[in-house]
Amino acid sequence: MVEHHICMFCGEPLEPGTGKMYVRKDGSIYYFCGQKCQNNYRLGRVPRRVVWTKAGRKALGKD
């Protein structure tokens, strides 16, 4: 059975065989749908304040 993951930044589901898996030195695992989400995470941006993420849309009251 194939595992389904969710992007840690934007909250979108990842299709099997796509995306990136980032493992930190402490062993925590992060899944990103693409370079856009990974770069925003590295820059320290909070998903609630980015309009195009699921958390951002929820914070604005659109979803």
Side-chain angles (χ1 to χ4, degrees):
M1 184 159 170
V2 180
E3 291 185 30
H4 296 281
H5 302 289
I6 296 175
C7 178
M8 294 299 211
F9 191 77
C10 68
E12 294 294 323
L14 298 172
E15 292 188 20
T18 62
K20 290 185 174 187
M21 180 174 72
Y22 175 65
V23 182
R24 294 178 62 171
K25 289 182 181 178
D26 62 356
S28 55
I29 301 172
Y30 295 94
Y31 293 98
F32 297 107
C33 59
Q35 195 68 29
K36 180 180 179 181
C37 291
Q38 189 174 7
N39 285 340
N40 278 309
Y41 174 76
R42 283 186 186 166
L43 289 170
R45 294 193 175 137
V46 181
R48 286 188 316 268
R49 296 189 180 161
V50 180
V51 180
W52 51 269
T53 62
K54 278 194 174 182
R57 291 184 60 80
K58 186 175 180 182
L60 289 172
K62 294 191 175 186
D63 282 338

